[in-house]
Structures are given as structure tokens and as C-alpha cells.
Amino acid sequence: LAQWRGSDICHRTDSFSEKLQETKDLLLTRFGNKGFDAAILGGSGTLGMEAMIASLFPSETVHIINAGTYGQRAIDICKTYNVKYKEIIAQDLDSLKRDTSVRYLCFAENETTTGENFSPHKLIELFPLADLFIDATSSFGASNYTGLFGMIKAICFSGNKCLQATTGTAVVIYDPRVEIHSRSYYSNLSHYQGDNIPFTVPTQSVAALNHVLLKNYNCENLLNQRREKLITALAPLGISCINSHPCN
């Protein structure tokens, strides 16, 4: 219903601009730090990842944990924009070793292609001097980032998945002190700062995202319970969970 009501609205109107800004504020509240900036783009989670990498990755080398399709996707985007990176191949969290030389670290928090969770709180113990760039496409809305705001430089995700809105919105939340690079055009985050609406935004998807942010709360406990229920229920059938750290 919220999506339907938001479909016949011009994205250039003041009413939509106010709705968009309210949605950004709600996203920052859900993130837990209103001192960050939020950008909402029309697209999928991959667009959010591309915007984060193209706009915010520094000129120095960024280490990328490759634990599945989405770690590889980050690498592919880096290749497209000639961004310096170094690959860290990992099957799970336990296969990683402590490294104090890593300055910038990018990873998919919930690597859905393998079912593994790479907890930012545990990764910061392994890479204590690293600034974090997090692909939270399959985790934002079901994770708590308290205590990490000094290490997180940017986090990207989509409006669907754990937030349970509809598809169509890509989101990047980032520290405003991070330099924005002009490596791309549509996904250049400098276009989306403040009240700027540089391109057509899917008004119906913003309306749906706004609705769920007002109506639901952190889904971490709910999705953790569902995960444990699945694992427990399948065990008597001889089906065991192969993940060391199963994502929710």
C-alpha cells in the first residue's frame, strides 16, 4: 500500500524531497550514528557497492576479503575503475589471521553465496588498524554496529533484504570526512549530498523503504531465531549446517 501511494509522485516536488530526507534520517538512526551522510540511489545493492568503491575507496591499496560471489564482485568493480586492491581469500572467519598492516578493509558481512557471516566486531580484532568498507546488502537491518563508528568509513546495502522493503533503492552510509573521488558519474556520491536529487529516484521504492523504517525495528533477533530454528529442525533429518559462522 505504501509503495502504491508513493508511485504517482514527481521526484522533483517538495513533498518527495521531504520524504527522501526523512528516509535518510531514519536510515542513519537505524545505523546508529546521525553524524554520517546517507545517499539513496535508484538501483540494486550492486549499485550501492559500486558507488561506495568508485566514490570512497582511497588511492591507497584496499584489502578485499574474497569469500564468495560478492567479495569477487567488489574486486571486479575495483578492476573496472582501476582502484588498487589486494585480495584476501577466505573460506570463513576462522581462516583469517591477525594483520596489523592492513589499513583499509572491504568485505561482505553476510556472504550469502556461502552462508558465512563475517562479523565486523570480530574482523576489527583481526585487523585492528583497518578502516572498514562494508557490503551490508544482506545484513543491514539485522546487525548492530555500535562501537564501530570510529572504524567504519562506509557501508552499502539495498532497501530490500533484511530491511524487508521492496527492490529499487541502493544506499550508501558514509563518514563525511572521507574524500569523494570522481571515478564515475551516476554513482558519484557528491551528487547526492544534502537535498540534491540529481537523477530520477524510484519514488515508490523510497515510499516503501520509508514505511518499513517507521514500522519495524532491528530484525537481528528475529532472523537469528529463524536461522537457529532451521539448523535445529534439519539436524534430525541428517542435514547439518556446514558453516563455521552461519549468517542470518
Side-chain angles (χ1 to χ4, degrees):
L1 184 60
Q3 182 175 234
W4 171 68
R5 286 174 173 169
S7 64
D8 192 23
I9 296 174
C10 175
H11 69 285
R12 299 294 184 190
T13 60
D14 290 341
S15 60
F16 178 74
S17 181
E18 292 169 2
K19 178 73 70 174
L20 186 68
Q21 188 58 53
E22 180 188 46
T23 305
K24 289 182 181 181
D25 291 340
L26 290 169
L27 286 165
L28 292 175
T29 298
R30 185 67 59 92
F31 176 57
N33 190 326
K34 291 187 176 182
F36 277 54
D37 283 347
I40 299 176
L41 299 79
S44 67
T46 299
L47 177 62
M49 182 193 292
E50 183 163 331
M52 179 178 74
I53 292 174
S55 293
L56 303 176
F57 270 27
S59 300
E60 297 89 342
T61 299
V62 177
H63 287 71
I64 299 176
I65 295 177
N66 189 349
T69 297
Y70 296 101
Q72 182 61 49
R73 186 166 297 177
I75 289 173
D76 293 341
I77 293 172
C78 283
K79 290 178 180 177
T80 300
Y81 291 101
N82 295 316
V83 174
K84 295 178 183 178
Y85 73 91
K86 185 173 183 179
E87 182 180 21
I88 302 175
I89 298 177
Q91 297 298 318
D92 54 35
L93 196 66
D94 297 332
S95 64
L96 296 169
K97 297 180 180 179
R98 180 180 170 87
D99 190 340
T100 58
S101 69
V102 174
R103 185 67 183 86
Y104 304 100
L105 182 69
C106 175
F107 59 95
E109 184 178 353
N110 275 354
E111 179 51 77
T112 53
T113 55
T114 62
E116 285 290 327
N117 171 259
F118 289 81
S119 165
H121 290 86
K122 294 181 179 179
L123 282 173
I124 204 64
E125 295 176 4
L126 295 172
F127 304 96
L129 300 182
D131 290 337
L132 305 181
F133 294 88
I134 306 174
D135 170 19
T137 300
S138 295
S139 54
F140 191 90
S143 290
N144 188 331
Y145 302 103
T146 302
L148 296 174
F149 301 126
M151 285 74 80
I152 293 177
K153 294 304 172 186
I155 185 167
C156 64
F157 53 94
S158 58
N160 52 317
K161 303 287 186 176
C162 295
L163 285 175
Q164 302 184 69
T166 56
T167 56
T169 52
V171 180
V172 182
I173 293 176
Y174 60 97
D175 188 329
R177 294 170 295 182
V178 177
E179 180 183 1
I180 297 179
H181 298 269
S182 299
R183 298 185 180 108
S184 65
Y185 183 69
Y186 183 83
S187 58
N188 185 334
L189 292 178
S190 65
H191 294 321
Y192 299 87
Q193 292 179 319
D195 297 330
N196 292 339
I197 305 178
F199 312 109
T200 302
V201 183
T203 58
Q204 72 281 5
S205 298
V206 172
L209 179 58
N210 182 276
H211 175 78
V212 299
L213 289 168
L214 287 170
K215 294 297 181 180
N216 71 28
Y217 300 92
N218 193 311
C219 299
E220 184 174 13
N221 290 335
L222 172 64
L223 297 182
N224 283 346
Q225 290 171 5
R226 291 177 178 175
R227 177 196 61 205
E228 296 305 318
K229 185 176 182 179
L230 283 169
I231 294 173
T232 302
L234 291 172
L237 303 177
I239 302 173
S240 60
C241 179
I242 64 172
N243 297 102
S244 300
H245 304 276
C247 71
N248 56 15

